[in-house]
Amino acid sequence: MARKSKLHLRELYSEENKDQIYDNVFAEIESFELPLGTSLRSVYDDQPNAHQRFMEKLDACIRNHDREIEKMCNFHHQGFVDAITELLKVRADAEKLKVQVTDTNRRLQDAGKEVIAQTEEIIRCRIQQRNITTVVEKLQLCLPVLEMYSKLKEQMNVKRYYSALKTMEQLENMYLPRVSQYRFCQIMIENLPKLREEIKEISMSDLKDFLESIRKHSDKIGETAMKQAQQQKTFNTALQKQNNVNYGRNMYAINGRVPEPKYEITSKRTLEEEDEHEEEVLTAHDLVDFSPVYRCLHIYSVLGDGETFENYYRKQRRKQARLVLQPQSSMHETVEGYRRYFSQIVGFFVVEDHILHVTQGLVTRAYTDELWNMALSKIIAVLRTHSSYCTDPDLVLELKNLIVVFADTLQGYGFPVNRLFDLLFEIRDQYNETLLKKWAGLFRDIFEADNYSPIPVANEEEYKIVISKFPFQDPELDKQSFPKKLPMSQSVPQIYIQVKEFIYASLKFSESLHRSSTEIDDMLRKSTNLLLTRTLSSCLQNLIKKPHIGLTELVQIIINTTHLEQACKYLEDFITNITNISQETVHTARLYGLSTFKDARHAAEGEIYTKLNQKIDEFIQLADYNWTMSESAGRASGYLMDLINFLRSTFQVFTHLPGKVAQTACMSACQHLSTSLMQMLLDSELKQISMGAVQQFNLDVIQCELFASSEPVPGFHGDTLQLAFIDLRQLLDLFMVWDWSTYLADYGQPTSKYLRVNPSTALTLLEKMKDTSKKNNIFAQFRKNDRDKQKLIETVVKQLRSLVNGMSQHT
């Protein structure tokens, strides 16, 4: 029972709970709260007949609501009827009112048309006025921009590019930002970079024209600068002379103070050298317009591209420098080629110096120094090469003068030129070489034209003319009456004059080298020494060796060199007078003319000895002995008498030679004659000699001894000259006397009568005579005397051979 009660209560509870759930669902549906999924899901639970029960509850709820609606409609129905009745009454009045309103509206519209038209006109005018005001305001804002742009265009047209860039800057910074919203402003903004590029291109084109212009005018600028430097130097020299300043003491050193740099070529006139009618010296600005480079520099600086411009300018100028420094292949042929070369270089660096001082940073001192060092190395190499082709000393001298002016000009602009003066010392050596070659030709011409005979002077006037050219003094000759002869030939004063001319020519190169008088003196003496010791000495040596120079000419050459040697001290005095440097100065060099002329004289003496011996050989070759003659002719041979007569006449010519020379020549001739005669006897081709031939040969030797004893040349003491024939004399005496016993007995004794007879010589001659005796005396064996003589000869031959063998073993 209790259990059933619990189940019944649970069911009741469940029914009440379900009813509550349905009520909540209905409330949600009525309130239109969506979604209804949760509520509807609660309806369909696990309870059986839930859907049916829900539908029953829903139908019951609908019936309740319908009853409520019907009650409400019944309640308001009378009021609705009354309202419809009233509305029908108002309908007629509304129609009338509508007609009235329509009429009123029509009349109002008709009356307002004119007002509307006037109002619209007023609005239109107001809009126009507002637009005009706006346009005026905008135009007032745009007009300065347009004016500035117009100004920019005008500046571009008149090529005021720097001002145009400033105008562009103002446009960009001040004016265009105010009107940046307008299309024309954008067009302007787009055009400004193009205009800048156009300005850059135009200015660069102007710069190229400028570079081409200075390339064309560099030689004229350089010529003007060098001309001015030369005028300034002449002016300074004139001032020095006016102030009586010594030339040597006022030569400034290379490393000394240089003039202040000149930023442009100015026209300076000396007081006396230029008159009022002289053409004015042009300046660099007169020849070249520098404004393009200034303008281009400013333009690129404003555009912030100055470094690009500097690099371009320096690059182009380096290229031009290389072109300027490249010489023409024929430059060395004329001085004008060198002058044009120097003018172009000077013009180039004058322009660079001007740019350096009138611009800021376009070129720097370091850049110009680097460029100059590069150029200087090239210039020195070019000059060293081309000057080596010069064979004309006058051209070399003009080249030196050009280099000096070139160096002085660039030194005035602050460029170091020490290396150029060092080069001048190299060129000076070359100049001396060309002078030496030229003077070698002059000396050869003088020697060729000389007659090698004493200079004849007919009167006092001719004598003075000669001594005015050559310092000759001879008190003994002065005492002689005219006409008379000077001991030297015509070549001596001519050579002396040419040596002085050489000194003058050498001095010309030494001028303006900024060297002291001592250095100039040293250079003159060294170059003169080269002339004497090399050129003149070589010419003399070649002259002496020439085949057509005979003994008479050689004698005159010895006399000439003696006088030239004596004149060397006058040449030293001549150099001293030029340089004002005393010969007593410690470092003063001495002239080597003494040794030169002594060497030439010795060579001439040796040549005399050689030619004299050659002449003797020529006479000896004429000898025609009959070596098998039975007896002598009773007189000396003809060839020998001719030879002795020749020697006598020759030695008479030697009277003007120094005593020792004549004595040596005479002794040499006698010794050579003696040796030649001895060789004739001992000739291996000569197989037989008769006693008659020996006797004839003895007669010839006697003539030689008579000649030697006649003292053909004074100065020999006693029998000195005859000793040249002592070997022949003792040999011939031995065979003439047939004194073999004495010879063999006294051989080796200092007091021997035949001390000069060599056993081998005697043996050779004796064998030639032995063979002759055998062939010519067929019946000598039947004559007792001849047989005894033959035995004696054989005995002597054996003894002589033993002596010869003993000598060889001893040796």
Side-chain angles (χ1 to χ4, degrees):
M1 194 68 185
R3 183 177 181 184
K4 290 181 180 180
S5 299
K6 290 182 179 180
L7 292 172
H8 180 70
L9 292 174
R10 185 178 299 171
E11 290 176 0
L12 291 176
Y13 177 77
S14 177
E15 288 293 333
E16 292 178 357
N17 190 22
K18 281 290 183 181
D19 292 339
Q20 183 66 36
I21 290 173
Y22 293 158
D23 292 337
N24 292 334
V25 171
F26 295 154
E28 288 178 1
I29 292 173
E30 290 176 357
S31 63
F32 298 99
E33 291 182 2
L34 296 177
L36 302 176
T38 304
S39 300
L40 292 176
R41 192 180 300 115
S42 63
V43 174
Y44 298 95
D45 53 7
D46 296 333
Q47 293 292 329
N49 301 322
H51 178 264
Q52 184 178 1
R53 289 177 59 84
F54 176 73
M55 294 303 297
E56 292 176 356
K57 285 285 184 182
L58 182 61
D59 290 338
C61 184
I62 292 172
R63 285 192 298 268
N64 291 332
H65 282 293
D66 288 339
R67 285 192 295 269
E68 290 179 0
I69 292 170
E70 184 178 354
K71 288 179 181 181
M72 186 177 292
C73 287
N74 291 331
F75 179 76
H76 292 289
H77 178 71
Q78 185 62 43
F80 175 73
V81 173
D82 293 340
I84 292 299
T85 302
E86 289 293 327
L87 183 60
L88 290 175
K89 292 179 181 180
V90 174
R91 182 177 182 179
D93 294 333
E95 290 292 336
K96 293 180 182 179
L97 180 60
K98 179 179 178 182
V99 172
Q100 292 177 356
V101 170
T102 302
D103 181 61
T104 302
N105 180 56
R106 180 182 57 77
R107 286 187 284 110
L108 180 62
Q109 291 295 332
D110 292 338
K113 284 182 180 180
E114 183 177 356
V115 175
I116 291 172
Q118 291 179 356
T119 301
E120 289 178 352
E121 180 67 20
I122 291 173
I123 292 172
R124 188 180 62 81
C125 290
R126 291 287 176 84
I127 293 173
Q128 287 181 350
Q129 183 179 7
R130 185 174 68 251
N131 291 341
I132 290 172
T133 302
T134 303
V135 168
V136 170
E137 291 177 354
K138 299 302 181 181
L139 284 176
Q140 288 178 347
L141 190 62
C142 293
L143 275 178
V145 177
L146 296 173
E147 289 175 355
M148 290 296 290
Y149 195 80
S150 176
K151 180 181 178 181
L152 171 63
K153 287 293 187 180
E154 182 180 357
Q155 290 170 340
M156 292 288 292
N157 292 333
V158 297
K159 299 182 178 181
R160 294 174 57 192
Y161 302 117
Y162 183 72
S163 301
L165 289 175
K166 290 297 184 182
T167 302
M168 288 185 197
E169 186 178 352
Q170 292 179 356
L171 276 171
E172 288 180 330
N173 297 331
M174 296 176 58
Y175 294 95
L176 289 178
R178 301 175 185 174
V179 293
S180 59
Q181 69 272 22
Y182 299 109
R183 189 174 61 180
F184 79 90
C185 177
Q186 296 300 323
I187 296 174
M188 289 183 182
I189 292 174
E190 293 174 359
N191 285 338
L192 289 182
K194 298 178 181 179
L195 291 176
R196 283 194 174 92
E197 290 299 323
E198 181 181 353
I199 290 174
K200 288 178 67 174
E201 292 176 0
I202 294 173
S203 60
M204 185 58 69
S205 176
D206 291 343
L207 177 65
K208 292 178 180 178
D209 295 340
F210 165 78
L211 293 174
E212 181 67 19
S213 175
I214 59 175
R215 189 185 68 81
K216 292 180 179 179
H217 292 88
S218 288
D219 54 346
K220 185 64 177 178
I221 295 173
E223 180 182 352
T224 306
M226 292 174 68
K227 180 179 179 182
Q228 180 190 355
Q230 185 65 31
Q231 291 175 349
Q232 183 65 34
K233 183 176 180 180
T234 304
F235 177 75
N236 293 337
T237 303
L239 288 180
Q240 289 178 355
K241 290 181 178 179
Q242 290 177 2
N243 295 329
N244 295 323
V245 178
N246 182 273
Y247 172 74
R249 296 179 180 177
N250 282 271
M251 300 181 74
Y252 56 93
I254 295 177
N255 294 325
R257 182 181 179 183
V258 298
E260 291 295 326
K262 303 172 179 63
Y263 301 148
E264 63 181 29
I265 305 172
T266 58
S267 174
K268 295 184 178 180
R269 301 173 179 272
T270 58
L271 299 176
E272 298 179 358
E273 293 177 344
E274 300 181 356
D275 54 25
E276 60 184 2
H277 300 291
E278 186 178 1
E279 181 181 359
E280 183 179 359
V281 178
L282 297 176
T283 65
H285 280 294
D286 295 329
L287 298 172
V288 177
D289 180 16
F290 285 92
S291 58
V293 69
Y294 306 150
R295 184 165 56 248
C296 194
L297 175 61
H298 291 158
I299 288 172
Y300 272 77
S301 299
V302 170
L303 294 176
D305 208 7
E307 184 177 355
T308 301
F309 172 74
E310 292 174 9
N311 294 335
Y312 176 80
Y313 175 84
R314 296 182 183 183
K315 180 180 179 181
Q316 295 302 315
R317 289 296 280 167
R318 284 183 185 276
K319 290 182 179 179
Q320 289 188 347
R322 293 188 181 95
L323 292 176
V324 167
L325 294 172
Q326 188 66 32
Q328 296 182 351
S329 58
S330 60
M331 182 179 72
H332 61 277
E333 296 177 357
T334 61
V335 70
E336 289 302 322
Y338 287 107
R339 181 176 286 110
R340 190 179 306 111
Y341 180 68
F342 288 136
S343 297
Q344 290 177 349
I345 296 174
V346 170
F348 179 89
F349 283 100
V350 166
V351 169
E352 288 303 289
D353 184 78
H354 179 82
I355 295 295
L356 171 66
H357 289 89
V358 298
T359 61
Q360 295 294 331
L362 180 56
V363 295
T364 61
R365 175 56 67 182
Y367 162 77
T368 56
D369 289 344
E370 178 188 358
L371 198 60
W372 168 246
N373 290 331
M374 181 273 293
L376 188 57
S377 299
K378 179 67 174 177
I379 292 168
I380 291 174
V382 166
L383 293 179
R384 187 178 286 121
T385 300
H386 282 263
S387 63
S388 63
Y389 300 145
C390 296
T391 58
D392 182 8
D394 295 332
L395 179 58
V396 178
L397 183 61
E398 290 181 347
L399 172 60
K400 167 258 174 181
N401 292 331
L402 281 176
I403 293 176
V404 170
V405 176
F406 173 74
D408 288 343
T409 303
L410 289 176
Q411 189 180 38
Y413 286 89
F415 295 102
V417 294
N418 296 3
R419 293 171 61 190
L420 284 175
F421 284 98
D422 293 338
L423 174 66
L424 282 175
F425 283 95
E426 297 180 23
I427 297 178
R428 181 201 63 188
D429 296 336
Q430 182 181 346
Y431 174 72
N432 286 336
E433 289 297 324
T434 59
L435 285 181
L436 292 175
K437 291 180 181 179
K438 178 179 179 180
W439 257 256
L442 293 175
F443 290 153
R444 285 193 296 267
D445 294 341
I446 291 173
F447 290 141
E448 289 292 334
D450 196 6
N451 56 10
Y452 296 99
S453 59
I455 301 175
V457 287
N459 49 48
E460 183 72 21
E461 183 177 354
E462 292 182 3
Y463 179 73
K464 289 182 178 179
I465 291 175
V466 174
I467 63 175
S468 65
K469 298 177 181 178
F470 182 76
F472 174 75
Q473 295 178 356
D474 188 351
E476 295 298 329
L477 186 62
D478 292 340
K479 295 176 182 179
Q480 299 178 12
S481 60
F482 292 100
K484 53 188 175 182
K485 292 183 177 181
L486 302 181
M488 63 278 190
S489 64
Q490 288 288 352
S491 62
V492 173
Q494 294 175 359
I495 291 294
Y496 183 79
I497 291 172
Q498 288 303 323
V499 172
K500 292 173 66 175
E501 290 297 327
F502 177 86
I503 294 173
Y504 276 126
S506 182
L507 177 64
K508 288 180 181 179
F509 195 94
S510 300
E511 294 175 345
S512 303
L513 290 185
H514 308 329
R515 296 295 176 181
S516 65
S517 297
T518 304
E519 292 174 304
I520 293 176
D521 180 86
D522 184 64
M523 287 188 284
L524 288 180
R525 292 179 185 274
K526 287 181 179 179
S527 58
T528 306
N529 278 330
L530 283 176
L531 177 71
L532 296 177
T533 59
R534 197 171 77 183
T535 304
L536 183 55
S537 176
S538 176
C539 291
L540 285 171
Q541 296 291 341
N542 293 335
L543 174 66
I544 291 169
K545 297 295 182 181
K546 286 187 176 180
H548 70 275
I549 298 296
L551 292 171
T552 304
E553 288 81 2
L554 289 171
V555 170
Q556 189 61 54
I557 289 173
I558 292 175
I559 296 172
N560 289 349
T561 54
T562 302
H563 289 282
L564 287 172
E565 179 182 345
Q566 295 171 354
C568 283
K569 62 179 182 179
Y570 297 101
L571 291 176
E572 291 196 350
D573 294 338
F574 178 71
I575 296 176
T576 299
N577 292 333
I578 292 176
T579 60
N580 293 324
I581 299 299
S582 174
Q583 298 182 29
E584 284 74 23
T585 305
V586 177
H587 300 289
T588 301
R590 294 289 183 266
L591 295 183
Y592 302 143
L594 299 177
S595 61
T596 297
F597 297 122
K598 284 181 180 178
D599 293 342
R601 188 159 57 252
H602 292 327
E605 293 170 3
E607 195 66 20
I608 286 177
Y609 307 150
T610 301
K611 288 186 178 295
L612 198 55
N613 294 341
Q614 290 174 352
K615 199 68 177 178
I616 292 173
D617 292 339
E618 292 176 4
F619 280 101
I620 294 294
Q621 290 175 0
L622 297 176
D624 187 18
Y625 285 102
N626 182 6
W627 296 107
T628 60
M629 64 173 58
S630 58
E631 59 182 15
S632 67
R635 62 181 181 274
S637 302
Y639 85 92
L640 188 68
M641 297 307 297
D642 293 340
L643 172 57
I644 290 174
N645 291 331
F646 165 75
L647 292 176
R648 289 186 188 278
S649 61
T650 299
F651 291 140
Q652 287 178 359
V653 179
F654 287 6
T655 54
H656 294 93
L657 288 175
K660 291 184 179 181
V661 177
Q663 293 169 13
T664 304
C666 186
M667 177 60 75
S668 174
C670 291
Q671 289 176 345
H672 185 72
L673 177 58
S674 175
T675 302
S676 299
L677 292 174
M678 181 69 76
Q679 290 175 350
M680 190 183 299
L681 282 176
L682 303 178
D683 189 0
S684 60
E685 296 182 0
L686 180 61
K687 304 299 183 181
Q688 301 173 11
I689 299 178
S690 65
M691 183 55 70
V694 173
Q695 292 172 354
Q696 181 63 44
F697 202 81
N698 182 59
L699 291 176
D700 293 343
V701 174
I702 290 173
Q703 290 298 322
C704 292
E705 291 173 334
L706 290 174
F707 169 74
S709 62
S710 66
E711 196 177 6
V713 173
F716 287 107
H717 300 287
D719 298 334
T720 303
L721 192 57
Q722 290 176 281
L723 292 176
F725 300 97
I726 190 65
D727 291 355
L728 274 173
R729 172 48 48 212
Q730 291 185 9
L731 179 63
L732 291 174
D733 285 349
L734 177 61
F735 279 86
M736 293 293 293
V737 179
W738 208 251
D739 194 8
W740 292 105
S741 59
T742 304
Y743 174 76
L744 294 173
D746 295 343
Y747 178 74
Q749 300 295 325
T751 58
S752 176
K753 180 180 179 180
Y754 304 103
L755 181 64
R756 307 285 296 188
V757 178
N758 190 289
S760 61
T761 303
L763 177 61
T764 301
L765 185 57
L766 187 59
E767 287 180 338
K768 295 178 185 289
M769 293 184 69
K770 181 181 70 170
D771 294 339
T772 303
S773 299
K774 288 181 179 180
K775 293 181 180 180
N776 293 340
N777 299 310
I778 300 175
F779 302 101
Q781 57 182 338
F782 301 106
R783 293 194 295 269
K784 184 177 184 300
N785 292 336
D786 292 337
R787 189 169 59 250
D788 294 340
K789 184 177 180 181
Q790 187 67 28
K791 290 181 179 179
L792 177 61
I793 290 176
E794 292 177 356
T795 302
V796 172
V797 167
K798 291 180 180 180
Q799 293 180 355
L800 288 175
R801 283 177 178 170
S802 64
L803 289 176
V804 172
N805 292 333
M807 290 176 60
S808 62
Q809 292 177 0
H810 180 71
T811 303

